[in-house]
Amino acid sequence: MSKLRDRGAGKLVAGAAPADDHVIGDQRRHWEETFAANPEMYGPEPSEPGRYAATRFVAEELSAVLELGAGQGRDTLELLRHGLEVHALDFAPDALVGIAALAGPELAGRLRTTVHDVRSALPYPERSFDACYSHMLFTMALTTEELDALAGEVHRVLRPGGLCIYTVRHTGDAHYGAGRSLGDDRYENGGFVIHFFDRSLVERLAARFDLEDVTAFEEGSLPRQLWRVTMRRA
Ligand SMILES: C[S@@+](CC[C@H](N)C(=O)[O-])C[C@H]1O[C@@H](n2cnc3c(N)ncnc32)[C@H](O)[C@@H]1O
């Protein structure tokens, strides 16, 4: 049985949440219900990392972008508006339908959507994308083992030299340690499960990448304390 370090409690836990199907199943329902009740949950404006990623991808003359955990598409639309070809992935199907509607005929020609749970292998051939963007998907209910597998999948579907920009809530966040502990630095609060990252987890996921930058920023009214991580497929 694998042993993962419970970084929050500072102790080793055997096989921390090896089969989290019940947790993730609940999370999918919870996200679907939350999006249905809140058509503009994060507002219509792009996020700060969404603006950064769009500008950076254009500056590097990248084209095909995979967005993981696109949600209701505030950043998908920003990437499309910058002329990028966006493959938006999420396990909440209605949210993806909503993005296509928001994109309208002008932008929709460069939008593809995929309903998928990132705990399974990404449904794309290797070296399909120039870039991967993800705002707050890595920081969901995924275990460290699942995050390792996801980072491996991102590496597989990126072209050599491809950029990955993702954001996570970190252990300096006010909600870290609050609510119900699920092990592996994951806490359920208000129905949402968050995996809070420490620096060692960022470095672990970057093992097969060149880690370029980790920038702290805040979002929302709590405010959430996040890191924007930029790493490049070597
Ligand atoms: C915190 S929201 C962020 C949404 C969007 N990136 C934004 O910032 O507006 C996290 C998103 O990840 C999706 N998600 C969570 N776990 C997932 C999983 N295992 N597979 C695919 N999508 C997942 C949720 O449905 C939700 O849309």
Side-chain angles (χ1 to χ4, degrees), residues 73-155:
R74 59 178 169 157
D75 293 335
T76 319
L77 295 173
E78 179 71 356
L79 295 166
L80 288 169
R81 283 192 290 261
H82 276 72
L84 297 155
E85 177 193 310
V86 186
H87 294 242
L89 178 152
D90 204 288
F91 67 8
D94 289 350
L96 294 177
V97 171
I99 298 176
L102 284 174
E106 202 179 315
L107 301 181
R110 279 183 282 102
L111 172 68
R112 302 281 178 278
T113 59
T114 306
V115 179
H116 184 76
D117 185 332
V118 297
R119 290 181 307 157
S120 300
L122 297 176
Y124 311 105
E126 62 184 33
R127 303 183 177 198
S128 305
F129 299 102
D130 301 315
C132 178
Y133 170 70
S134 183
H135 188 18
M136 294 192 288
L137 177 278
F138 281 68
T139 201
M140 294 285 101
L142 307 167
T143 63
T144 297
E145 284 176 345
E146 289 164 346
L147 287 168
D148 280 339
L150 178 57
E153 279 296 285
V154 170
H155 186 276

Side-chain angles (χ1 to χ4, degrees), residues 8 42 45 61 96 99 102 145 166 177 185 197 204 233:
Y42 294 107
E45 296 300 319
E61 299 183 352
L96 294 177
I99 298 176
L102 284 174
E145 284 176 345
Y166 73 89
D185 272 356
F197 275 47
R204 174 179 173 136
R233 184 185 155 152

Side-chain angles (χ1 to χ4, degrees), residues 4-6 38 51 79 107-108 113 133 154 174 177 182 196 215 223:
L4 296 176
R5 187 164 173 75
D6 183 333
N38 302 278
R51 291 182 207 273
L79 295 166
L107 301 181
T113 59
Y133 170 70
V154 170
L182 298 173
F196 294 90
T215 297

